[in-house]
Amino acid sequence: MNITDHCRRTIAFTREIMRQPVTARGDLRFSDLAFFLRFARPIWRVGVLALAATALVSAAKTVLPLSIKFFIDNVLLGETSASDALIAGAGGILSSLDALIVALLVLGFFTGGMDLLRNYWTARFREGYAFNIQTTLVEHVLSFPLSYFKSQQTGYIMSRLSDDVQILQYTVSQYLPQIVANALYVTFTFAILCVLNLRLTLVVVAFIPLYLLVNAVFIRRIRAATHRERERQAYVSRDLQEVISGIDTVKSHAAEDREMHRVSGTLRNMIDARIKNTMLSAFSEYFRIGTMSLMLIAVFWFGGNEVLAGAMSVGDFVAFAVYIVTFAPTVNTFFAFPVVMQPALTSAARLRELFRIHGEAGAAPGTGGIVPATVQGRIEFSGVRFGYTASEPVLLDANFVARPGEVIAVIGRTGAGKTTLINLILRAFAPQEGTITLDNCDLASLDPRWLRRQISLVSQDLFLFHTTIEENIRYSRPDAAFEDVIEAARKARIHDDIVRFPEGYGTIVGERGTQLSVGQRQRVAIARAFLKDAPILILDEPTSALDMQTEDQIRRTLRDLVRDRTTILVSHRPSLLELADRVLMIEGGRVRECMGAEPARQVDPDRTPLSGQSTAP
């Protein structure tokens, strides 16, 4: 590519980033800003202390340049100026060099000590604020319906939960204290400048509209560019997480180059967005620095003429010049604040989007979810219709009843809706028509957390946490005693395998349980179900990845597990279908009973449940 092509691309790039966005993505309303203030309420006292310390430090730093005036006019020249009428007391006291030095030492110690307190209180406020918002956000996201997590990729959700909070935390810790300090410094300095020379101060004020113009030009553009960058960064996290999670599949298909190409494409889009955002910020900073330079030139020109005309003392001019040298960058930072805040405002808007998503009905205390006193275990589908899209329903007018203690096997071709039926029972999704009831109570009216505590799930897609075997089994009942964990492992026929490990029940299973065999992981999941001892059991292809010998062992374990529990069994294995009292087939979206299936067990429809379970209809 020759120089001409590079120039053309640069011009096209500049036009693109300066194009006015159609909509400013990530806009926050005042009510949204007020929403984020609630996280500061528990720590408002620390915030007030930090603000007070910031005010004192800013005031002390503002006084320091005045020492130059006193040193030149009062100590060296022994003169007074027009401004000394308002500061005559200080000028008289500080006319001695020794007194001036002592005053500077006292002021320095005071400023340093107060600055340490300010940093401590600011850090306390910053970390407390970040803790409040992060914990509240995680709690809120965990209340989302399962359908949200099934429709979003893990990496994308993690980016929203971590990156945006970190940006907001950085803003609270860096920009907000800085803007408060700068605002106070500008206020104090402006008052002193007016005392030193009002006419020269008006020259400084004349440049403020230029700063406002720069902000008006760049704020909406930077906000839109920041939103694009944040979204593409989330896509990068999404793709990386997916590749790492599926590394076995990637390796087995020798697809490293293909995945690298896909990730690099997403990364390239994010880098392009970041470059555009960086250049917009650089352009805005360039214009602000230009405005600051013009202001300094004007002050030196007008102030020099004032000194030459005898209307301003040398000490006043030097002090004014020192104030402007420190004041101008502070003003530049102050007016840059609306621009540099755009990433934080964008992150705040993205977080606000998450907070606007409603959690599951009845998922939080006091939201009206019904919590029955006992569970009998009668599950009934009545005219249930559901589809992931309106045009392609998965279930059409599904009707069946699972009686207490009955084992119902569900079969059907791949994609027929077997897993969808399970997800509906777990309230991962809600039926679009019809009702699903538990003991004649509509699932939609029940507290979803209570409902899931009544269900044990053993799935082909089981998940073990990166912790010990004991903690993985105990996950279904955290308060269980160690003896109960061992008993559950014995029932699941995994105890003998566990004690053979050098660390026994303290063995770390690795991420997703990779240190255990497939059969061992399956039996740990079954041990969870035994320990939970829930009245309803769902078995979703529990032996699909096992060899025949291991499947035979687990089948004997499952025979004990399903006893006296309402069980929904999804499987095509003939050996497991022997556990069923009835077999249902899903075909064409409808549920029908396989009349030719011989039940392996006889269940009395009016049987009495286990002790602790209700006999109410």
Side-chain angles (χ1 to χ4, degrees), residues 65-66 68-74 77 79 81 83 196 307 312-321:
L66 273 179
I68 298 174
K69 168 194 163 43
F70 294 135
F71 180 73
I72 294 175
D73 285 345
N74 298 79
L77 301 179
E79 300 175 351
S81 64
S83 62
L196 291 175
V307 173
M312 190 177 188
S313 71
V314 175
D316 284 347
F317 176 73
V318 173
F320 198 101

Side-chain angles (χ1 to χ4, degrees), residues 42-251:
I43 51 173
W44 69 270
R45 291 181 178 84
V46 178
V48 169
L49 289 174
L51 184 62
T54 299
L56 290 173
V57 170
S58 298
K61 290 181 178 179
T62 305
V63 174
L64 284 174
L66 273 179
S67 61
I68 298 174
K69 168 194 163 43
F70 294 135
F71 180 73
I72 294 175
D73 285 345
N74 298 79
V75 177
L76 294 183
L77 301 179
E79 300 175 351
T80 58
S81 64
S83 62
D84 286 336
L86 296 177
I87 52 177
I93 296 173
L94 300 178
S95 59
S96 165
L97 180 60
D98 293 339
L100 180 62
I101 296 301
V102 171
L104 288 176
L105 287 173
V106 172
L107 186 63
F109 280 115
F110 173 79
T111 304
M114 191 56 62
D115 202 31
L116 288 175
L117 289 174
R118 178 185 65 84
N119 285 327
Y120 171 71
W121 286 327
T122 299
R124 286 282 305 273
F125 180 81
R126 174 191 71 215
E127 299 304 327
Y129 183 85
F131 175 81
N132 291 341
I133 192 172
Q134 187 110 46
T135 53
T136 305
L137 179 63
V138 171
E139 181 182 21
H140 179 68
V141 170
L142 289 178
S143 74
F144 288 177
L146 285 169
S147 56
Y148 175 85
F149 298 99
K150 291 180 180 294
S151 64
Q152 299 288 345
Q153 290 174 290
T154 304
Y156 180 81
I157 298 175
M158 290 301 300
S159 176
R160 297 292 295 269
L161 287 175
S162 59
D163 295 347
D164 288 324
V165 173
Q166 288 176 2
I167 292 293
L168 204 59
Q169 179 186 14
Y170 181 79
T171 301
V172 171
S173 64
Q174 299 294 328
Y175 287 131
L176 288 184
Q178 184 181 29
I179 196 61
V180 171
N182 287 345
L184 293 171
Y185 186 83
V186 167
T187 302
F188 296 146
T189 300
F190 184 75
I192 294 175
L193 292 180
C194 289
V195 172
L196 291 175
N197 192 300
L198 181 59
R199 286 176 296 181
L200 203 55
T201 303
L202 294 177
V203 173
V204 174
V205 173
F207 284 88
I208 290 179
L210 284 178
Y211 283 106
L212 298 178
L213 178 62
V214 172
N215 286 347
V217 170
F218 286 99
I219 281 178
R220 295 185 70 229
R221 292 174 172 83
I222 291 178
R223 186 181 306 160
T226 301
H227 188 276
R228 287 194 300 270
E229 178 188 340
R230 291 283 179 273
E231 280 294 303
R232 291 176 182 180
Q233 186 173 347
Y235 296 155
V236 171
S237 298
R238 174 200 67 189
D239 289 352
L240 285 174
Q241 188 275 336
E242 187 174 50
V243 170
I244 298 301
S245 298
I247 191 63
D248 290 342
T249 302
V250 173
K251 290 285 188 182

